[in-house]
Amino acid sequence: MYKLIIKLLTPIIKFFLRVKVEGKVSVPEGEKFIVCANHLSNWDPILVVVCTGIPINFLAKESLFKVPILKNIIKAFGTIPINRNGSDIASIRKSIEVIQSGGTFSIFPQGKRLHVPPHPDQTKNGVGLITGKAQAGVLPVGIYTKNYKIMPFRKIFVKIGEFIPYSELQFGEDGRDYALVSKQIFTRICSLAIPEGEIK
C-alpha cells in the first residue's frame, strides 16, 4: 500500500507544487541512517518521500491518528504517534527500534512548522538523541519556497545533501551532548534550505 500511495501522489505533488529536486541520495550500503529536513508545512513528509524515493517512517502527533481517512494514510506510511505534550519515551524508543532493525526514519529537527529562514538555534534535541542512541548517520534535506510558505503552483526546491556518517557526528566530551549534535545536523540542513537567489 505504501508504494501504491507514493506512486499515486508523486505526479500530483510534482504538478501542483512545482517541485524541483537538487542532488541525489547517496548512502553507503548497509548504513543505518535517518533523514532530516527543515519543516515548513504538513506537506513536508510527503515531499521528503517523493523526492528521495526512500520508504520512510515518521513521527506524528497523536491527534492526526483520529482524523478519518488521514489516519489510514499515515498508518500505511508506518508513522509513529507521539505525545506533543511530553517527551513520549515510548515513541522515541520505537523510532530507535525502526532504525536498528534496518528501517529508515525521518524527523524534522525544528519540531514544528516555521515560515522563516531556518537557523541552527531552532533545532530541538530529539534528533541528536535518536541519532546517538541508534548510532545512525544522517541524510540532510533542505526545503525552500518563496517566503517559506508552500502554496499550490509556487515552485519548491528540495535539495538533498551529502550523507553525514555517524562517525562524523560530535556528541561532546561525555558522548551525550545531544543538543550539540542536533545543532550540527541542522546547520547542514540550513545550508541546503537557504536559496542562492530569489524564486519567482
Side-chain angles (χ1 to χ4, degrees):
M1 185 174 180
Y2 186 105
K3 292 183 178 180
L4 176 60
I5 292 175
I6 296 303
K7 186 176 182 180
L8 294 174
L9 285 178
T10 296
I12 297 173
I13 295 297
K14 289 189 174 181
F15 176 74
F16 284 104
L17 299 182
R18 298 181 63 207
V19 180
K20 179 180 179 181
V21 182
E22 299 181 6
K24 294 182 179 180
V25 174
S26 181
V27 178
E29 186 175 353
E31 286 275 357
K32 293 183 294 184
F33 70 100
I34 63 175
V35 180
C36 292
N38 57 308
H39 201 7
L40 309 185
S41 75
N42 289 328
W43 288 101
D44 297 339
I46 298 174
L47 282 172
V48 170
V49 172
V50 167
C51 295
T52 64
I54 301 172
I56 296 175
N57 296 90
F58 292 89
L59 286 179
K61 55 186 179 182
E62 289 179 322
S63 59
L64 294 179
F65 286 79
K66 300 177 182 179
V67 180
I69 300 179
L70 178 60
K71 65 181 180 180
N72 296 323
I73 294 176
I74 61 177
K75 283 181 180 179
F77 273 66
T79 305
I80 300 168
I82 186 170
N83 182 354
R84 295 295 294 274
N85 296 320
S87 60
D88 200 340
I89 299 301
S91 295
I92 293 175
R93 286 177 177 169
K94 179 62 178 178
S95 305
I96 295 169
E97 289 174 6
V98 168
I99 300 166
Q100 292 180 331
S101 65
T104 302
F105 188 78
S106 184
I107 187 171
F108 299 100
Q110 292 156 298
K112 60 182 179 180
R113 300 182 299 277
L114 294 174
H115 304 302
V116 296
H119 188 279
D121 290 340
Q122 296 166 354
T123 188
K124 306 297 183 182
N125 296 346
V127 61
L129 174 62
I130 293 174
T131 303
K133 294 296 184 181
Q135 297 188 351
V138 176
L139 180 67
V141 176
I143 304 173
Y144 174 77
T145 188
K146 187 176 182 180
N147 297 325
Y148 293 92
K149 293 182 179 180
I150 292 179
M151 297 178 64
F153 304 110
R154 174 180 286 179
K155 188 181 293 183
I156 298 173
F157 282 78
V158 178
K159 192 168 185 178
I160 302 170
E162 293 184 8
F163 177 69
I164 309 172
Y166 174 73
S167 60
E168 291 185 9
L169 298 175
Q170 305 297 317
F171 289 89
E173 294 183 1
D174 65 357
R176 293 184 296 177
D177 193 338
Y178 302 123
L180 177 65
V181 75
S182 293
K183 198 167 186 177
Q184 178 188 352
I185 292 168
F186 201 61
T187 296
R188 185 76 65 89
I189 293 170
C190 290
S191 69
L192 299 170
I194 295 177
E196 295 180 1
E198 183 68 18
I199 293 179
K200 297 181 180 179

